Structures are given as structure tokens and as C-alpha cells.
Amino acid sequence: MTDEKTSGLIFNVQKFSVHDGEGIRTLVFFKGCPLRCRWCSNPESQNAVPELSYSVQDCLHCGTCAKVCTRGAIRFTDGTPVVQRQLCRPEPGCLCTRTCPGGALGIYGKTVTAGELLRQLLEDQVFYVRSGGGVTLGGGEPLHQPDFALAVLRLARRARLMTNIETCGQTSVETMLSAAALLDTMFMDIKCMDPDKHRAWTGVSNERILENFVRVREAFPRLPITIRTPVIPGFNDNAGDIEAIARFVRRFSGVRHELLPYHRYGEQKYLRIGRRPGMGEASLPEETFATLREVAEKLHDDQL
Ligand code: SF4
Ligand code: SF4
């Protein structure tokens, strides 16, 4: 299989992004993730299969979707469509999204080849060149589809696009090193240093993630790496957890550490795919975040 023809599942291509690396970038959202962070703001990214989304706000309660679904995956009950997710298998021939008059239905997940994706990425090459930007692979976890992600990175490199990745770090060492060799910059999450707590909140231990970070730093000492820590209420919103991460990160030169505040922007997306948001009413006071950012910055300053 050539790189051009290697295919994968993505759910969005966001152009003109300025928050995910240097300059103007195109951000590609891969579908599928080995973690199940309770606070995930892209829940539609987690499952590595296409998923139907339903927006009750846009629904006209006409019942068309229940009539056109040949799998019987939508039951129209009391004037409202109810998606039977165990029966729903979105595929190109599905009519529900095309015939819904309210635009209430959509599908998260589209199969593309790396060659098709590259052609889309190249449409904005002039902006990347002028701004020092490029392409960022995110998701979901791009390296959860290693063959596809590496094919996209190789093609992007051959086309002289600057490459970046946002990774949770949970992949094999071989895949991580292969990806790092094709990157100009890398964003990796370190969420917590305690393996048991990490497992309880994300579904996996942090051991592989930390090892991958160390291996990448050793093999590519000049690769600019930014470690990101989402600050999550009840999980790591305390000085002890943040300090432990900052102390670990500062052992490695040339690595930036950035805290990201918890937000609730993804809540509607949980409802659209028939799930409940995992964090309930939890919130992060601005003062708490500011204090923790000072804690991390102080440790970094002490290193200089
Ligand atoms: S076809 Fe669209 S508008 Fe009509 S009931 Fe189904 S989701 Fe609602
Ligand atoms: S996506 Fe396909 S299987 Fe699912 S409800 Fe729509 S028509 Fe039925």
C-alpha cells in the first residue's frame, strides 16, 4: 500500500487554526483514542468508528429518519426519534442525514486516503508559508491509526509542509519514534504523575506515556516539545499534582510546559452521540487555575 492510498478515519478538518502550533495551521481530527478521559471535550473523537449525531434543538419531529433507515436503528416514539445505537452502522448509502429536513442528523467520521487529505492540506499552503504555519494532526489520538498518521506525515514532509502533532502519548515506542522523526514540533499531554489516579480518570496508566516522552526526548533532543496539562477539577487541580508534573518536565531541556483550563464546551456533543457528560456540574474557578499556573511557572523559573 502506498502512502497516497493508505486510508484512515477522520471527523473534521479545521482550517485557519492559530492555537495548535506556530502560524496558521490546518488541524486534522483523527477518530479513535486509547484513553477515555472523563473530561474529554471531543467525545465524538473517542470511538474509532463512525457515529451518528442527533441534535434535538434542530429536530422538526417529522419522523422521516425512522422511515428511511433500513436497519431499523431509529424508532419514532411519542413524536421524537430515538437512535438505537447498537443497530446504527453509518455508511455511505445511509439516507437519514440526507433526508432530514431540519439538519438535525450528521455523521462523525469519514474515511479518506492520505493522498486526498494531502491535497486538501495543500489548498492553504500559501498561508502556511507566509505565517510559518503548517499541519497539525490531532483528534482523538492520531497515532491510534499509526499507518495512516505516518503516511500523512510522510506526504506532508515531502510536500515541505511543517508538521505538528497533538498526542496523548499512549502508543508503542516504535510508532512514537517513527512519528517524531517526521515532526517539526510536538504537543504531548502529561495529565498526572500518579499511575493509579491516571488510570482511574483516563482508563490507562501513565507509564507508557512517560516512557514515550523520555524516549522521544533522548532520540530527538532538538525537537521542540510542548507538554500540555489540562487542569481538571477533582483530578489534578491541586498544587501537589501540578508541581509533580512541572518537576518532571523541567528535568528535560527545551521542553515547554503549558497548563490548559478545564472547560465545558464539549457537553452538547456528548448529548448528540447519546452519552452523558462525564464531569457533571464540575467547574474550575479562574483563581484556582491562575494559582496553579504560578506554581508551574515558578518551578520553571527556578530551573533557569
Ligand atoms: S428526519 Fe430529522 S427532523 Fe425529522 S424526526 Fe428525524 S431527526 Fe427530526
Ligand atoms: S446512520 Fe444509517 S444506520 Fe444509522 S440511523 Fe442513519 S440510516 Fe440508519
Side-chain angles (χ1 to χ4, degrees), residues 9-14 29-33 35-37 39-54 85 106-110 138-141 145 263 265-275:
L9 191 65
I10 62 172
F11 66 95
N12 196 8
V13 175
Q14 183 179 307
F29 292 83
F30 282 54
K31 198 147 163 45
C33 183
L35 270 57
R36 286 293 178 269
C37 303
W39 60 86
C40 182
S41 58
N42 285 336
E44 77 280 30
S45 74
Q46 290 183 335
N47 291 325
V49 291
E51 285 172 277
L52 184 68
S53 74
Y54 164 67
R85 295 203 172 257
I107 291 173
Y108 290 122
K110 179 184 172 196
E141 170 51 56
Q145 301 181 64
H263 61 74
Y265 305 147
E267 281 186 3
Q268 282 300 318
K269 294 192 279 186
Y270 280 90
L271 305 177
R272 287 183 179 197
I273 55 173
R275 289 171 54 187

Side-chain angles (χ1 to χ4, degrees), residues 5 42-44 52 63-64 67 81 88 109-110 116-117 131 162 168 175 183 208 223-225 232 238 270 274 282 296:
K5 291 193 171 149
N42 285 336
E44 77 280 30
L52 184 68
T64 306
K67 290 184 197 133
C88 176
K110 179 184 172 196
E116 287 165 345
L117 185 56
S131 68
M162 301 285 278
C168 69
T175 296
L183 294 172
R208 170 70 62 86
L223 176 66
I225 300 177
I232 307 301
N238 62 80
Y270 280 90

Side-chain angles (χ1 to χ4, degrees), residues 52 69 71 73-74 88-90 94-96:
L52 184 68
C69 176
R71 291 183 181 273
I74 298 187
C88 176
R89 297 279 178 279
C94 283
L95 288 176
C96 68

Side-chain angles (χ1 to χ4, degrees), residues 23-194:
I24 295 172
R25 314 193 68 83
T26 298
L27 183 53
V28 182
F29 292 83
F30 282 54
K31 198 147 163 45
C33 183
L35 270 57
R36 286 293 178 269
C37 303
R38 283 191 220 166
W39 60 86
C40 182
S41 58
N42 285 336
E44 77 280 30
S45 74
Q46 290 183 335
N47 291 325
V49 291
E51 285 172 277
L52 184 68
S53 74
Y54 164 67
S55 163
V56 68
Q57 290 89 349
D58 297 318
C59 180
L60 305 179
H61 304 279
C62 65
T64 306
C65 51
K67 290 184 197 133
V68 299
C69 176
T70 55
R71 291 183 181 273
I74 298 187
R75 204 179 55 223
F76 199 63
T77 310
D78 298 331
T80 297
V82 180
V83 182
Q84 316 282 300
R85 295 203 172 257
Q86 70 281 14
L87 298 177
C88 176
R89 297 279 178 279
E91 51 191 37
C94 283
L95 288 176
C96 68
T97 54
R98 278 184 265 163
T99 55
C100 170
L105 298 172
I107 291 173
Y108 290 122
K110 179 184 172 196
T111 300
V112 294
T113 66
E116 287 165 345
L117 185 56
L118 180 74
R119 284 188 277 287
Q120 197 175 351
L121 298 174
L122 285 172
E123 288 169 6
D124 294 320
Q125 192 168 21
V126 62
F127 299 108
Y128 312 146
V129 172
R130 281 192 196 152
S131 68
V135 174
T136 296
L137 307 189
E141 170 51 56
L143 301 180
H144 203 48
Q145 301 181 64
D147 293 345
F148 179 53
L150 294 174
V152 174
L153 289 174
R154 276 192 294 267
L155 290 178
R157 268 293 177 92
R158 262 178 244 152
R160 298 183 184 279
L161 302 183
M162 301 285 278
T163 54
N164 182 33
I165 198 169
E166 293 175 338
T167 178
C168 69
Q170 180 70 15
T171 187
S172 70
V173 173
E174 294 72 28
T175 296
M176 183 58 76
L177 293 176
S178 300
L182 297 165
L183 294 172
D184 294 296
T185 51
M186 181 165 113
F187 288 176
M188 186 192 263
D189 275 12
I190 295 183
K191 309 175 205 296
C192 181
M193 297 304 292
D194 177 337

